[in-house]
Amino acid sequence: MSCSPEKPNQNSIWLKNKKALNHVLFTMRLRSLTPKNQTQNGPLTINPQPTCKIQDFTLINLVSDKTSLLSDEILLNIISRLPKSQRNSNFLVSKRWLNLQGRLMRSIKLLDWDFLISGRLLFRFPNLIHVDLVNGCLISPQNSGIVCTHKIVSFNVGSDIGGKDWFLDERFVLNADEIDEGLRVLANGCPNLRKLAVVNTSEMGLLSLAEECPTLQELELHMCDDQVLRGIAACHNLQILRLIGIVEGFYSYSSFVSDVGLTILAQGCKRLVKLELSGCKGSYEGIKAIGQCCQMLEELTLCDHRMEDGWLPALSYCENLKTLRFLSCKRIDCNPGFDEHLGCCPTLDSVHLEKCQLRDKKTLRALFIVCRDVREIVLKNCWGLDDDLFSTASICRRLKFLSLEGCSLLTTVGLESAIISWKELQSLKLISCKNVKDSEASPPLSSLFTVLKDLKWKPDTKSLLSSNLTGTGMASRGGKFFKKNDWKSLPGA
């Protein structure tokens, strides 16, 4: 039996070499503190005997703060390697560490607008690349315990606020001139800015930002309109853009984006990869311009849109689109036109619909015709999706992944009628669909479960299928795990 020597830890090595290190540091400081004398006609002479007070003071200083001899670059490299949970307390060590900690900060969320205007923000954090100015643009008491929360922003309000439409008053948002001044200060101090979120800016504010920050890649604009987009066209390297115009119950109807703004955007930002239009107006012409000019666009998100009828066929001009999202939309397109005029998105991989009202079969069928080559469909908490509406999804013959969550009107019969027609289906996720019952699963549906590569089945809390399949490895082994007649053991077989 052999025993290997114990490996010394870092603390033991430090204590062992402490005296030698102190001696080296003491010698270096001693030479720098030795007085030098030079006679008028004679050579340079050095006094080799410093006083005892200098020796004692130097030794104490060296022992108390050894980092004083390290350069900023070395110390920054050391601090940057610490866990994030320990970095925030480093600024308490000294003023020097406070400044170094600020140089490591890359992202910040501004709460006080005066902190930006006064220049203290850029002096404290000179290397920022991501700045969120949304909360700083809103006039709200910071010490109030009342918080107003929306899906896009959260801020404090005072107890003297009354009336149901108080949040639509423009006095709760800084005016455009103040916002523009803040953007000029930010642009001059952060030339390497890459990501920005701001409320109620103007064309001039964005132009100053585009001139000073050529590396800006991601931008989020609240209370945006067509006039503002004339300035955004100067951001030629922009890749990710989020436009928030009308937000019902939050931002007033005085700001909106129409086809004019979408056309200006399309002609100026041709490198867009991701685009989100929230509360924006428009029609066929605006979406067509984006599809023709933004050839690199891969992801398009429409949130609570105000598009005019007939805009849906314009999606076929987005030839490289891979992901299409609809969030909180009251409608998709009430009059999409004839099927032969709808076209198709040939590269589309994924379609997501979340919290949308799906009550028109013609509209939903038109959407699936445009997306007929899609590989993934996600339907989450959509109102009105019954068996008849869901049957229109059978148009997507190449579907491989289906996710259904919170679709309470969908039944087992409606689910089966659609998924049986998808010969390439590999993954199924079904959660909180209370009208889908384990006991109603037919033998063909149960047999389909055996060949899926991934299955998550939990229509309700009483589901027996999910509990019976626990530990069987069916989701990972698929059809290789089951024999020909094993489907009879599943519930409802």
Side-chain angles (χ1 to χ4, degrees):
M1 180 175 179
S2 60
C3 297
S4 58
E6 183 179 358
K7 184 178 179 180
N9 55 28
Q10 296 181 354
N11 292 332
S12 61
I13 295 177
W14 171 257
L15 294 174
K16 183 177 180 181
N17 298 327
K18 181 178 180 181
K19 293 183 178 180
L21 180 60
N22 284 342
H23 177 72
V24 173
L25 297 176
F26 170 72
T27 304
M28 295 171 58
R29 181 62 64 90
L30 187 62
R31 291 182 179 178
S32 63
L33 295 177
T34 303
K36 300 181 180 181
N37 299 322
Q38 183 176 8
T39 61
Q40 184 175 2
N41 298 323
L44 177 67
T45 59
I46 302 176
N47 184 8
Q49 296 181 355
T51 62
C52 295
K53 292 183 178 180
I54 295 179
Q55 292 182 10
D56 296 341
F57 174 77
T58 305
L59 182 59
I60 294 174
N61 186 37
L62 291 173
V63 173
S64 62
D65 185 12
K66 298 179 178 62
T67 63
S68 60
L69 295 178
L70 299 177
S71 64
D72 290 349
E73 289 72 17
I74 295 177
L75 196 55
L76 279 172
N77 192 10
I78 295 174
I79 297 177
S80 63
R81 297 177 184 270
L82 294 175
K84 293 183 178 180
S85 59
Q86 300 179 10
R87 292 182 189 177
N88 294 333
S89 59
N90 290 336
F91 70 93
L92 299 174
V93 176
S94 63
K95 289 185 177 180
R96 184 192 180 200
W97 282 55
L98 175 66
N99 295 330
L100 293 177
Q101 183 71 8
R103 291 167 60 179
L104 289 176
M105 291 292 294
R106 296 293 185 268
S107 176
I108 195 169
K109 184 176 182 179
L110 183 70
L111 301 179
D112 185 3
W113 192 255
D114 292 335
F115 192 56
L116 170 62
I117 296 297
S118 63
R120 289 176 293 166
L121 173 66
L122 303 179
F123 179 78
R124 178 72 175 84
F125 308 105
N127 297 323
L128 293 174
I129 61 175
H130 174 202
V131 180
D132 186 349
L133 301 177
V134 173
N135 288 83
C137 298
L138 304 177
I139 304 175
S140 61
Q142 298 297 327
N143 298 326
S144 173
I146 305 175
V147 180
C148 177
T149 302
H150 194 273
K151 58 184 177 181
I152 57 175
V153 68
S154 177
F155 63 97
N156 298 82
V157 296
S159 58
D160 57 339
I161 299 301
K164 62 180 181 179
D165 295 331
W166 63 267
F167 36 79
L168 301 180
D169 197 332
E170 295 180 356
R171 62 190 177 94
F172 290 98
V173 182
L174 295 177
N175 59 61
D177 293 336
E178 294 180 276
I179 302 297
D180 292 346
E181 178 62 25
L183 289 183
R184 281 190 288 268
V185 174
L186 181 65
N188 292 331
C190 294
N192 297 323
L193 190 65
R194 297 182 184 178
K195 183 177 180 180
L196 175 67
V198 65
V199 179
N200 197 30
T201 185
S202 70
E203 175 187 357
M204 300 307 299
L206 289 181
L207 286 176
S208 62
L209 194 69
E211 292 179 3
E212 302 295 336
C213 303
T215 60
L216 186 65
Q217 297 179 353
E218 186 171 350
L219 186 59
E220 179 178 327
L221 294 178
H222 294 245
M223 297 182 66
C224 183
D225 56 20
D226 294 339
Q227 189 70 22
V228 176
L229 292 178
R230 295 184 179 183
I232 204 178
C235 303
H236 300 293
N237 294 321
L238 207 60
Q239 297 181 6
I240 302 175
L241 178 60
R242 186 184 184 195
L243 301 180
I244 302 173
I246 301 171
V247 178
E248 187 175 354
F250 200 79
Y251 293 151
S252 66
Y253 285 79
S254 60
S255 59
F256 61 87
V257 177
S258 65
D259 281 339
V260 176
L262 295 180
T263 304
I264 294 174
L265 168 66
Q267 294 177 352
C269 302
K270 298 184 178 181
R271 296 186 179 183
L272 279 182
V273 178
K274 296 182 180 180
L275 174 63
E276 178 177 339
L277 303 176
S278 180
C280 296
K281 296 183 178 181
S283 65
Y284 177 89
E285 296 298 331
I287 300 299
K288 177 182 177 181
I290 291 177
Q292 290 178 332
C293 298
C294 303
Q295 296 292 329
M296 301 174 62
L297 187 65
E298 296 182 356
E299 182 175 323
L300 176 62
T301 302
L302 297 169
C303 181
D304 193 19
H305 72 81
R306 269 79 173 170
M307 295 289 176
E308 297 179 4
D309 294 344
W311 72 272
L312 194 60
L315 287 176
S316 60
Y317 289 94
C318 302
E319 297 180 353
N320 294 315
L321 191 65
K322 296 182 179 179
T323 303
L324 179 62
R325 302 178 186 272
F326 292 89
L327 304 177
S328 303
C329 294
K330 298 181 178 62
R331 57 186 179 85
I332 304 299
D333 189 346
C334 296
N335 188 16
F338 298 103
D339 293 350
E340 54 269 21
H341 298 157
L342 291 174
C344 178
C345 297
T347 61
L348 194 63
D349 289 332
S350 178
V351 175
H352 292 241
L353 293 98
E354 182 175 353
K355 297 181 180 179
C356 296
Q357 297 186 20
L358 306 178
R359 306 181 187 277
D360 188 356
K361 183 176 181 180
K362 181 181 179 182
T363 297
L364 193 59
R365 183 176 181 275
L367 174 62
F368 287 134
I369 290 177
V370 175
C371 309
R372 55 180 173 268
D373 293 332
V374 71
R375 268 72 167 179
E376 175 181 320
I377 294 180
V378 177
L379 300 171
K380 184 177 180 180
N381 298 327
C382 292
W383 295 279
L385 185 65
D386 55 14
D387 294 347
D388 191 28
L389 289 173
F390 184 70
S391 63
T392 59
S394 59
I395 300 174
C396 307
R397 299 293 183 179
R398 305 176 65 180
L399 193 68
K400 293 185 178 181
F401 175 80
L402 174 65
S403 176
L404 300 172
E405 183 175 350
C407 301
S408 58
L409 298 180
L410 184 65
T411 66
T412 310
V413 177
L415 175 67
E416 180 180 351
S417 63
I419 66 175
I420 292 298
S421 62
W422 293 323
K423 304 302 181 182
E424 300 182 17
L425 188 66
Q426 299 178 357
S427 301
L428 175 62
K429 178 181 177 182
L430 191 138
I431 300 176
S432 301
C433 300
K434 62 181 181 180
N435 282 324
V436 177
K437 307 295 183 181
D438 295 343
S439 58
E440 298 176 357
S442 64
L445 182 60
S446 302
S447 178
L448 176 65
F449 291 158
T450 65
V451 298
L452 293 176
K453 293 183 179 180
D454 186 17
L455 173 63
K456 186 172 182 179
W457 181 274
K458 195 174 181 181
D460 52 41
T461 56
K462 299 180 180 179
S463 176
L464 299 176
L465 180 61
S466 59
S467 60
N468 289 347
L469 295 178
T470 302
T472 62
M474 188 192 77
S476 58
R477 300 184 184 183
K480 296 182 181 179
F481 178 76
F482 289 91
K483 297 179 181 179
K484 293 182 179 180
N485 297 324
D486 279 351
W487 62 268
K488 296 181 180 180
S489 63
L490 294 175

